[in-house]
Amino acid sequence: MTVRRTFRWWPVDGGRHAIPGELQPGESGETLCCHPVTRSHGEPSKQEWLWATCSVCYERARDYTHVSCVEHQYRVPGQRQTESRQQVQR
């Protein structure tokens, strides 16, 4: 059985990091770059979403599936249609 690894982007300590997709509000875990994090209960501010993306998380997230794509199965803006189909079939 293949385990599906998922992630979501989340603002942490001045940067946007990838956190495990199953991490619920109030739970502690690690970002994909191994930075400790506790997911907040509220939504991040608009300003926090503008923080720079962690390059280590970005590279490691390539082997994961973004949870919004799994939940909603929509095409990411700027993504070619063939890439969208491949991602949904995983």
Side-chain angles (χ1 to χ4, degrees):
M1 179 179 176
T2 303
V3 176
R4 184 185 308 197
R5 299 184 304 174
T6 61
F7 78 97
R8 71 178 71 234
W9 291 108
W10 202 257
V12 178
D13 293 337
R16 287 187 323 117
H17 291 267
I19 64 171
E22 66 277 0
L23 196 65
Q24 298 299 311
E27 289 184 341
S28 295
E30 285 188 341
T31 63
L32 296 188
C33 68
C34 302
H35 183 79
V37 61
T38 299
R39 184 170 169 201
S40 63
H41 287 279
E43 286 294 316
S45 70
K46 290 180 181 179
Q47 185 66 32
E48 289 172 321
W49 285 120
L50 298 176
W51 290 348
T53 300
C54 171
S55 61
V56 175
C57 284
Y58 181 82
E59 288 299 317
R60 291 184 180 165
R62 292 174 146 191
D63 296 328
Y64 287 63
T65 302
H66 191 269
V67 291
S68 67
C69 292
V70 172
E71 293 171 352
H72 304 291
Q73 296 183 355
Y74 69 92
R75 186 171 60 87
V76 176
Q79 185 179 38
R80 293 180 301 194
Q81 189 63 31
T82 55
E83 291 174 348
S84 180
R85 283 191 209 119
Q86 290 170 353
Q87 193 160 7
V88 171
Q89 293 174 358
R90 287 186 195 173

